[in-house]
Amino acid sequence: MTGTTSETAPQTQASAPGGLVKDVVTLDRVVIRLAGDSGDGMQLTGNRFTSETASLGNDVSTLPNFPAEIRAPTGTLPGVSSFQLHFADHDIMTPGDAPDVLVAMNPAALKANLADLPGGGLLIVDSDEFTARNLAKVGYAENPLEDGSLEGWQLVSVPLTSMTTDALADSGLGKKEAERSKNMFTLGLLSWMYHRPTEGTIRFLERQFRRKPEIAAANIAAFRAGFNYGETTEAFAVSYEIKPAPMAPGTYRNISGNQALAYGLVAAGVRSGLPVFLGAYPITPASDVLHELSKHKAFGVRTFQAEDEIAGIGAALGASFGGALGVTTTSGPGVALKSETVGLAVMTELPLVIVDVQRGGPSTGLPTKTEQSDLLQAMFGRNGEAPVPVVAPRSPADCFDAAIEAARIALTYRTPVFLLSDGYLANGAEPWSVPDTDSLPDLRVEFATEPNGTDAAGDPVFLPYLRDPETLARPWAVPGTKALQHRIGGLEKADGTGNISYDPANHDHMTRIRQAKVDGIAASLPPTEVDDPDGDAKVLVIGWGSTYGPIGAACRRIRRSGRSIAQVHLRHVNPLPADLGDIIRSYDRVVCPEMNLGQLSLLLRAEYLVDVHSHTQVRGLPFRAAELAAVLQDVIDSTGPEVQS
Amino acid sequence: MTTHPIDEHVHELGMPAFDQRIADAVARSVELGGEKQTTLKAKDLKTDQEVRWCPGCGDYVILNAVQSFLPSLGIAREDMVIVSGIGCSSRFPYYMNTYGMHSIHGRAPAIATGLAASRPDLSVWVVTGDGDALSIGGNHLIHTLRRNVNLTILLFNNRIYGLTKGQYSPTSELGKVTKSTPMGSLDHPFNPVSLALGADATFVGRAMDSDRKGLTEVLRQAAEHQGTALVEIYQNCNIFNDGAFELLKDPLTGTQWSIPLVHGEKIVFGPDGASCVVADGWGGLRVAETNQVDEADIVVHDAHREDPAYAFALSRLSSQDLRYTPMGVFRSVAKPTYDAMMTDQLEDARSGQPADLDRLLRGSDTWTVEA
Ligand code: SF4
């Protein structure tokens, strides 16, 4: 059943839990999708299962998928929320293309997700919810649990709701309230099925409902009842074991992209010795970064929920002028509003990190779905020649390092920097090897403390636009500093003095030097890593951002099929690494998969005059590794020796 | 490495310990350059930049008044920051030998908020105009006022767009004929004082560009105020809206139509104190003839009244053509400032659980993979 794509044959052994003889099957990987109404607590259930799984030492990758509406009508298709997690005894890169197991808490969840469950997959449904009324809501004329339409799957129909209320009969809770614990019953059942530890969840529930002990007790009782049900029922004859994945030694935790990003910003504040100032306006899917940072005032992190996106970035820039590490967080529509202030930051040459957690666009688009379509907005979405560095994380945990890198560039070069995350990274989670904080980059920069030039009369003066010869960064003199008072602003600056200048030659010079400063960042980047284990690949696949997982998984499939492929994944999209041109030109074909209509491809073609093969998809969901592998395979197979000649 | 050592600099500056490196830079600059000068003269605040307003513009007199007044605060010029938006008045920072930022249209209050909230040791000023503050930047203005961030906003109201050469502004009177309204403006104007009071501003004053004494007095009170102070300054644009405030400036009509506000004094005005302000019986105020009312009914101006409704009623006395225009401080009430509360929260958080980055990153659910 499960683990249909597993690389090793399931190993079966008999065991006798609870007196009943049950088989234990060892799998190398499983993908489970939990689907229910948005009110059913699927995200919480998924997160708990993820934590249990991670603590067991499996590698894990998750993909939450929830509706844009906060509370769509109960039991309807738009109200379906799901959480997919992939865990394995080896290093994995994606939340899995298709689930091996689907848990459907109601008919809507079944209808919305069944097509993704491959034939033969395990399907667990809450039979209590398959009432005539609920079936009618989603247009089932017949009950699919009874009409034979689910014969192609291993259907296990369990009255999850009523078993939960039965288990809580003595809890003192009303029926409605007791029913709400059905997600914990389900979690208990899954925990038994997959041999997950239970203590973490019990501790979590006690913590979560500290102030409502009766609710904590009910949830724990439901969780245990679900576990015991698995152990005793005949409905499940087998349980599964997934051995821990071999991972590098270290201390691990599970972390989501938004949390890692927020931690990266806190760490950047600590490592630069500067207070972090976040100016932000709530927007999906970036708000969690604001929430997270607002908890860390003890680190000197100031969070300011502004009246709008423009004020969010404005306040951050004002704080940067005052010597803080200014940060603003948003998604695509917010970037559109912030553009003018990004331009001001380019002109005033102050450090600023602009976090864009991308979502489906244009306009309001798909707020809860993922996309990579703001790259060109980040690159060019401003008036005038206004170059801004662009940094992108590749996985949820990598958001931590990417945030530190964005801060490094902002502080070193005195420039706004775009950090392009996306909805998939933001809400997805994976194990993270917690770094030793002393090993994090040292981000300290010097403030200017004394005049750096002389005027015509030979008196010392401060020249706010006198540049560091190496980085081309201008001095950062914060208000309060003796004798360095100066004025900056959006009007063109005279080189050196920073006074207003309309001089044609000066404008030409300043425009070029701002560009040269950003281009010069490339000199600080490490050599690009090319993953070409066979060393004879003719096709290079290049990506940026959250496609790293699916592209990497696709490359593994390709290599398992005996073909060679090289992979490059960009951390820096602007400036591009200095060695990238040579790398790209050394392959016969270059494929660039993106969740947009070819934005990086456009940049690569323009930069290197190479005919990049653009493979794109904008479904609001990450690529599926299998589909991507098929595309890459076609490219490889069509790149014969004759093409090389 | 994860906790911040405390140094005396930050305490001297009244800054939280996290701002150590900023405080160190300031301290270092004093070591290198000598103590900051807090006894300034007006000329110390001038820059070498040529002032480029039109000759005769009201902005000149405001600049002079501000440069003459600021030294009385005893604040070093390094500790003053002027943030402006876009418009004629927003050129102001270039002419002030302080720190400054000439930002983008309408956004100065937002930028100044970030600066003032993170640097409570600075004296932060916003210079803006009627188009900048009330049209494109209206949202930032009202939110800054309600938050009560410690900064002073000087709103130069010339009732016209000057820099873009003469379109009507959000304070232009209904029917105003301008380049963009050849048949007269259809927009009902804002009364900036009413708007600020509607946003629950803790300090609102109004002054005339040419009235050095009155302007200085309002500036003095605004600068002393803890929180956001809004000062509307009537400013003559002699190129595109010349004489807009003539009714109030003319010695004869000025006495008749201006209502000077002095805290604790009866509101009596006009030639020989012939007019006064009394309650209108509907919760508002009206102008009456002094000799027609019982002296006890004349309103005694109380700028410290908690309820902004009184100051609002005062602001509503004036008409679009400026008859019955109260001048002075409408409202000045004490409320906690945003920056002080933010600093308190930071210090509270820090005393609760000292910052430890390692502990934060580990969280509560970790597992270890042995070598
Ligand atoms: S246009 Fe008007 S407001 Fe602007 S500088 Fe000239 S006179 Fe002053």
Side-chain angles (χ1 to χ4, degrees):
Chain A
M1 55 131 284
T2 58
T4 44
T5 53
S6 95
E7 292 147 52
T8 50
Q11 293 162 1
T12 307
Q13 63 182 96
S15 78
L20 201 84
V21 178
K22 292 203 173 194
D23 288 341
V24 176
V25 176
T26 301
L27 300 175
D28 64 340
R29 56 176 290 269
V30 180
V31 178
I32 300 179
R33 186 183 296 177
L34 305 162
D37 200 68
S38 3
D40 286 344
M42 291 299 100
Q43 303 302 326
L44 174 71
T45 313
N47 279 320
R48 280 321 309 165
F49 195 89
T50 306
S51 282
E52 291 179 4
T53 295
S55 71
L56 200 65
N58 291 136
D59 197 9
V60 54
S61 173
T62 67
L63 176 66
N65 191 2
F66 35 78
E69 292 74 25
I70 301 303
R71 280 279 180 271
T74 314
T76 61
L77 290 171
V80 174
S81 158
S82 71
F83 188 100
Q84 182 163 311
L85 76 159
H86 179 190
F87 55 106
D89 68 359
H90 56 276
D91 160 34
I92 51 171
M93 307 190 77
T94 74
D97 289 358
D100 305 306
V101 183
L102 172 65
V103 179
M105 301 299 284
N106 66 11
L110 178 68
K111 189 155 202 179
N113 291 283
L114 187 63
D116 293 336
L117 184 69
L122 178 62
L123 174 60
I124 301 172
V125 297
D126 180 1
S127 56
D128 289 328
E129 288 292 317
F130 283 68
T131 60
R133 191 157 167 265
N134 285 352
L135 291 166
K137 269 190 204 171
V138 291
Y140 275 125
E142 299 286 331
N143 186 344
L145 306 185
E146 291 159 5
D147 67 3
S149 62
L150 300 177
E151 265 171 11
W153 293 274
Q154 295 182 60
L155 172 66
V156 185
S157 185
V158 185
L160 293 169
T161 306
S162 52
M163 283 199 303
T164 305
T165 50
D166 287 353
L168 300 183
D170 300 330
S171 68
L173 296 182
K175 186 166 167 293
K176 275 266 157 286
E177 229 170 340
E179 277 182 6
R180 298 186 56 181
S181 297
K182 67 184 171 192
N183 61 333
M184 286 300 120
F185 185 94
T186 311
L187 180 63
L189 173 59
L190 291 169
S191 298
W192 171 80
M193 280 178 69
Y194 293 98
H195 295 214
R196 304 292 102 176
T198 55
E199 310 78 43
T201 295
I202 290 168
R203 255 185 290 131
F204 166 83
L205 290 169
E206 285 167 350
R207 235 187 5 244
Q208 188 77 0
F209 300 106
R210 226 176 13 251
R211 291 194 193 84
K212 292 180 185 157
E214 67 287 355
I215 303 288
N219 275 307
I220 293 168
F223 176 65
R224 290 203 165 113
F227 193 96
N228 294 339
Y229 167 73
E231 206 160 67
T232 50
T233 182
E234 290 177 8
F236 295 95
V238 203
S239 67
Y240 305 92
E241 194 178 43
I242 293 90
K243 297 256 164 59
M247 290 174 126
T251 300
Y252 286 81
R253 63 170 288 170
N254 188 49
I255 198 158
S256 74
N258 271 348
Q259 193 174 21
L261 199 155
Y263 283 4
L265 293 170
V266 174
V270 171
R271 297 298 288 175
S272 62
L274 300 181
V276 172
F277 185 101
L278 172 71
Y281 187 74
I283 186 169
T284 303
S287 302
D288 281 341
V289 182
L290 165 63
H291 305 159
E292 185 62 45
L293 282 175
S294 67
K295 295 180 201 159
H296 304 304
K297 296 183 169 57
F299 289 89
V301 176
R302 292 178 174 90
T303 53
F304 171 67
Q305 185 178 314
E307 59 271 22
D308 58 27
E309 295 282 359
I310 300 171
I313 186 171
L317 186 65
S320 285
F321 184 44
L325 171 57
V327 180
T328 190
T329 51
T330 189
S331 187
V335 173
L337 287 164
K338 294 178 196 294
S339 303
E340 191 187 12
T341 314
V342 179
L344 179 65
V346 169
M347 203 66 160
T348 53
E349 303 193 41
L350 287 169
L352 183 67
V353 175
I354 306 141
V355 179
D356 175 1
V357 185
Q358 301 165 94
R359 63 191 219 186
S363 189
T364 313
L366 303 172
T368 59
K369 309 294 179 205
T370 199
E371 211 163 277
Q372 296 182 295
S373 47
D374 292 346
L375 176 57
L376 294 183
Q377 177 174 228
M379 287 291 298
F380 304 119
R382 288 166 295 285
N383 62 306
E385 294 288 350
V388 176
V390 178
V391 171
R394 57 171 59 176
S395 75
D398 187 48
C399 289
F400 179 82
D401 295 321
I404 291 178
E405 174 63 358
R408 178 191 74 86
I409 294 174
L411 292 168
T412 310
Y413 295 88
R414 318 280 146 81
T415 175
V417 177
F418 268 103
L419 178 57
L420 290 186
S421 178
D422 65 30
Y424 167 48
L425 297 179
N427 295 313
E430 64 179 350
W432 176 45
S433 172
V434 183
D436 170 9
T437 55
D438 289 327
S439 69
L440 297 175
D442 182 351
L443 302 182
R444 276 174 303 179
V445 295
E446 293 302 320
F447 289 123
T449 52
E450 58 184 323
N452 57 354
T454 44
D455 63 12
D459 291 327
V461 287
F462 178 58
L463 301 172
Y465 279 76
L466 187 71
R467 292 169 193 281
D468 178 294
E470 195 187 325
T471 60
L472 299 181
R474 72 177 194 88
W476 191 3
V478 299
T481 312
K482 165 83 180 176
L484 304 193
Q485 61 272 29
H486 62 283
R487 277 66 53 191
I488 54 175
L491 285 171
E492 183 61 282
K493 304 278 163 291
D495 194 18
T497 64
N499 291 334
I500 303 172
S501 168
Y502 299 112
D503 178 64
N506 178 72
H507 178 55
D508 190 86
H509 171 72
M510 293 297 274
T511 302
R512 289 174 199 281
I513 207 152
R514 284 187 288 265
Q515 182 68 50
K517 180 176 83 165
V518 171
D519 292 345
I521 296 166
S524 73
L525 307 182
T528 303
E529 278 176 42
V530 184
D531 180 30
D532 184 3
D534 304 315
D536 61 352
K538 305 219 175 322
V539 174
L540 170 72
V541 57
I542 184 166
W544 67 282
S546 75
T547 51
Y548 176 69
I551 295 175
C555 287
R556 287 184 184 178
R557 282 167 188 256
I558 299 274
R559 289 169 192 151
R560 278 203 300 271
S561 77
R563 296 171 176 84
S564 293
I565 189 160
Q567 183 189 2
V568 162
H569 208 77
L570 299 177
R571 149 85 79 230
H572 298 93
V573 185
N574 193 36
L576 290 164
D579 56 359
L580 189 64
D582 288 344
I583 294 170
I584 283 188
R585 289 190 201 97
S586 67
Y587 289 89
D588 292 350
R589 302 284 297 274
V590 178
V591 186
C592 180
E594 290 180 89
M595 295 187 290
N596 56 42
L597 295 185
Q599 301 194 3
L600 177 64
S601 302
L602 184 84
L603 296 177
L604 295 177
R605 287 179 192 141
E607 187 70 27
Y608 304 116
L609 298 177
V610 165
D611 184 17
V612 174
H613 176 105
S614 173
H615 174 69
T616 63
Q617 167 189 297
V618 277
R619 300 168 64 244
L621 293 166
F623 281 105
R624 291 196 170 125
E627 287 172 13
L628 207 48
V631 170
L632 296 175
Q633 191 170 313
D634 282 351
V635 176
I636 293 168
D637 293 349
S638 68
T639 311
E642 68 278 10
V643 182
Q644 288 178 55
S645 59
Chain B
M1 60 133 303
T2 49
T3 50
H4 302 260
I6 302 174
D7 183 280
E8 70 270 21
H9 302 145
V10 288
H11 286 313
E12 274 168 21
L13 292 170
M15 292 157 76
F18 328 105
D19 303 338
Q20 172 88 52
R21 296 207 59 227
I22 296 169
D24 284 349
V26 171
R28 176 86 186 125
S29 72
V30 169
E31 263 171 52
L32 292 166
E35 285 304 315
K36 290 183 197 169
Q37 188 63 254
T38 52
T39 50
L40 300 174
K41 299 212 164 53
K43 69 169 174 43
D44 297 325
L45 289 165
K46 297 193 194 318
T47 63
D48 59 358
Q49 299 296 294
E50 185 194 339
V51 184
R52 293 220 189 147
W53 289 308
C54 307
C57 175
D59 289 348
Y60 283 97
V61 283
I62 303 174
L63 178 65
N64 286 336
V66 170
Q67 284 173 336
S68 308
F69 154 73
L70 280 180
S72 72
L73 295 176
I75 299 174
R77 54 191 184 182
E78 290 89 352
D79 292 333
M80 293 190 239
V81 187
I82 302 176
V83 183
S84 66
I86 293 292
C88 293
S89 56
S90 288
R91 289 295 185 100
F92 207 88
Y94 291 115
Y95 311 135
M96 294 290 297
N97 196 350
T98 63
Y99 283 88
M101 192 195 291
H102 176 214
S103 75
I104 43 178
H105 209 10
R107 317 304 171 199
I111 292 168
T113 291
L115 179 63
S118 55
R119 290 290 305 275
D121 56 311
L122 301 173
S123 172
V124 182
W125 298 67
V126 168
V127 173
T128 180
D130 41 320
D132 194 54
L134 301 172
S135 201
I136 193 165
N139 198 32
H140 308 307
L141 181 74
I142 55 176
H143 289 277
T144 302
L145 293 171
R146 79 175 163 88
R147 284 191 195 102
N148 205 33
V149 188
N150 198 13
L151 46 87
T152 308
I153 303 174
L154 307 183
L155 193 168
F156 294 19
N157 181 7
N158 57 12
R159 308 188 80 181
I160 198 78
Y161 280 86
L163 193 66
T164 50
K165 301 194 172 142
Q167 302 81 10
Y168 73 105
S169 90
T171 55
S172 296
E173 53 280 20
L174 192 67
K176 182 153 189 100
V177 174
T178 70
K179 273 194 190 141
S180 57
T181 50
M183 294 173 71
S185 158
L186 305 176
D187 284 28
H188 188 87
F190 269 140
N191 174 327
V193 169
S194 300
L195 183 80
L197 290 165
D200 221 348
T202 53
F203 184 101
V204 186
R206 178 188 283 147
M208 182 67 73
D209 56 2
S210 53
D211 173 16
R212 169 72 68 101
K213 188 161 161 281
L215 173 57
T216 303
E217 177 54 24
V218 175
L219 289 176
R220 187 186 60 77
Q221 294 191 41
E224 280 169 6
H225 179 71
Q226 293 296 307
T228 311
L230 180 105
V231 180
E232 181 190 20
I233 304 173
Y234 284 153
Q235 174 243 321
N236 191 41
C237 167
N238 55 311
I239 301 297
F240 296 109
N241 203 15
D242 196 23
F245 305 101
E246 217 35 52
L247 189 78
L248 301 175
K249 289 188 182 198
D250 181 280
L252 277 178
T253 55
T255 325
Q256 191 177 354
W257 300 117
S258 313
I259 309 178
L261 299 175
V262 182
H263 177 73
E265 289 186 12
K266 285 199 169 72
I267 309 179
V268 177
F269 65 100
D272 305 323
S275 304
C276 66
V277 173
V278 296
D280 71 354
W282 297 91
L285 300 173
R286 68 180 173 85
V287 170
E289 285 176 42
T290 311
N291 59 16
Q292 301 291 306
V293 298
D294 189 338
E295 194 173 339
D297 288 342
I298 299 175
V299 172
V300 176
H301 181 47
D302 180 4
H304 305 325
R305 214 184 276 194
E306 191 58 36
D307 182 358
Y310 157 71
F312 186 82
L314 268 180
S315 76
R316 303 315 292 171
L317 290 172
S318 49
S319 60
Q320 282 188 44
D321 63 10
L322 303 179
R323 281 171 301 153
Y324 300 129
T325 299
M327 305 294 288
V329 176
F330 287 73
R331 184 173 199 234
S332 171
V333 297
K335 266 195 198 166
T337 66
Y338 187 89
D339 35 305
M341 291 191 293
M342 190 178 235
T343 303
D344 285 350
Q345 280 197 347
L346 263 65
E347 292 289 11
D348 271 4
R350 196 164 167 277
S351 61
Q353 189 171 65
D356 179 340
L357 186 59
D358 285 295
R359 189 171 56 211
L360 172 73
L361 300 189
R362 275 196 307 273
S364 54
D365 262 342
T366 56
W367 68 96
T368 304
V369 174
E370 304 294 345

